[in-house]
């Protein structure tokens, strides 16, 4: 029985791969972030048996070719050849896929992108990420970072107009002006502080916007302008049929509608239907994507 894992900074979710290709979640445990031996023990304890392969969705960058993970919020995995080390420690085959890629794959195969040629799944949450699936195939790209549109100093939040008062925010990757630094939930909070001098959570800000509060509305407007500008370049480049969204901000339908309208107004193609929509697997894309990847990789699983 293949066990699938969705490994995040706080929790390890696990589930059993079913014959129909879905993954039935079986539970979750706290992630032992600082302790490799405890991490290995937690994975072994959650697996259905002690020999079958396991498939992991990891909340961080992962390069297939080197087998090395880049996941700063789970220190015991960070910069470690985690694929090789886990296979050795567990004595079984291991598959690892980045969580944004897992989400995009799940959407393309069984979600909002089913039957569509180009699916660009995006994460809007504690960070900004994404994954690209073309004709059912996950595009990994050089270094395994295809679809990671959150980094690179491309945003100029000081461009004036409705953006007056914003700053160049530093990003965790070492640059400033990254999409991740401005368009994540934390980015929305930074924008609010710059514009209004008060600190609110992203939930409080969107709540204020829903209540037609002028400050909250100005923040969400600036946020949506910056996000749609960046996204429009991606839309023109990739030609996606759909952009399913996951992450903490994907639960706000009105926010996604706003981002969708602004993005479609900036792109070359005329989309008759909403393009930026909540993913079917917005809450469990990691597990479901790990399951799909496992069915494609491990031959003992009936396809
Ligand atoms: Zn960055």
């Amino acid at each position: 029985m293949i066990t699938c894992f969705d490994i995040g900074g706080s929790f390890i979710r696990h589930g059993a791969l079913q014959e129909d290709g879905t993954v039935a979640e079986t539970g979750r445990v706290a992630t032992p972030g600082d302790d490799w031996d405890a991490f290995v023990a937690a994975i072994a304890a959650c697996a259905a048996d002690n020999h079958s392969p396991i498939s992991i969705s990891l909340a961080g960058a992962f390069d297939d070719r080197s087998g090395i993970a880049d996941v700063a919020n789970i220190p015991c995995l960070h910069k470690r050849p985690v694929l090789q080390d886990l296979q050795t420690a567990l004595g079984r085959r291991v598959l690892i896929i980045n969580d944004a890629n897992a989400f995009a794959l799940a959407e393309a195969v069984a979600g909002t992108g089913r039957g569509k040629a180009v699916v660009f799944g995006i994460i809007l949450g504690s960070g900004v990420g994404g994954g690209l699936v073309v004709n059912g195939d996950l595009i990994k790209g050089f270094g395994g970072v295809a679809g990671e549109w959150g980094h690179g100093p491309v945003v100029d939040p000081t461009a004036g107009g409705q953006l007056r008062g914003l700053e160049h925010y530093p990003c965790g990757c070492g640059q400033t002006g990254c999409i991740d630094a401005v368009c994540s939930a934390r980015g929305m909070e930074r924008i609010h502080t710059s514009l209004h001098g008060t600190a609110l959570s992203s939930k409080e800000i969107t709540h204020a916007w829903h209540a037609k509060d002028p400050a909250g509305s100005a923040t969400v407007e600036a946020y949506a302008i910056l996000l749609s500008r960046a996204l429009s370049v991606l839309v023109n480049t990739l030609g996606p049929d759909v952009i399913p969204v996951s992450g903490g901000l994907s639960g706000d339908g009105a926010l996604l509608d706003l981002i969708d309208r602004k993005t479609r107004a900036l792109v070359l193609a005329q989309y008759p239907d909403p393009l930026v929509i909540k993913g079917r697997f917005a809450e469990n894309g990691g597990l479901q994507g790990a399951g799909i990847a496992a069915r494609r990789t491990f031959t003992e699983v009936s396809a």
Side-chain angles (χ1 to χ4, degrees), residues 31-36 74-76:
T31 306
D34 295 315
D35 185 337
W36 169 253
I74 309 176
C76 73

Side-chain angles (χ1 to χ4, degrees), residues 84 98 139 173 216 231:
Q84 186 59 49
N98 160 261
I139 307 298
C173 76
L231 199 49

Side-chain angles (χ1 to χ4, degrees), residues 192-215:
H192 192 80
T193 301
S194 291
L195 292 180
H196 313 296
T198 53
L200 291 182
S201 71
S202 59
K203 265 217 160 62
E204 291 169 328
I205 294 165
T206 52
H207 221 266
W209 170 56
H210 290 307
K212 306 212 181 319
D213 166 69

Side-chain angles (χ1 to χ4, degrees), residues 135-201:
N135 296 327
D137 289 328
L138 184 63
I139 307 298
K140 292 179 178 171
F142 185 83
V145 297
E148 288 299 335
W149 64 299
H151 297 282
V154 298
V155 174
D156 183 5
T158 62
Q162 287 155 295
L163 306 178
R164 199 181 307 280
L166 301 194
E167 302 158 39
H168 286 280
Y169 307 103
C171 183
C173 76
Q175 305 182 88
T176 57
C178 286
I179 296 164
D180 189 282
V182 185
C183 299
S184 58
R186 178 85 183 89
M188 183 187 285
E189 294 161 5
R190 289 187 178 112
I191 291 171
H192 192 80
T193 301
S194 291
L195 292 180
H196 313 296
T198 53
L200 291 182
S201 71

Side-chain angles (χ1 to χ4, degrees), residues 70 109 135 236 240 243:
D70 197 311
V109 172
N135 296 327
N236 288 340
I243 301 181

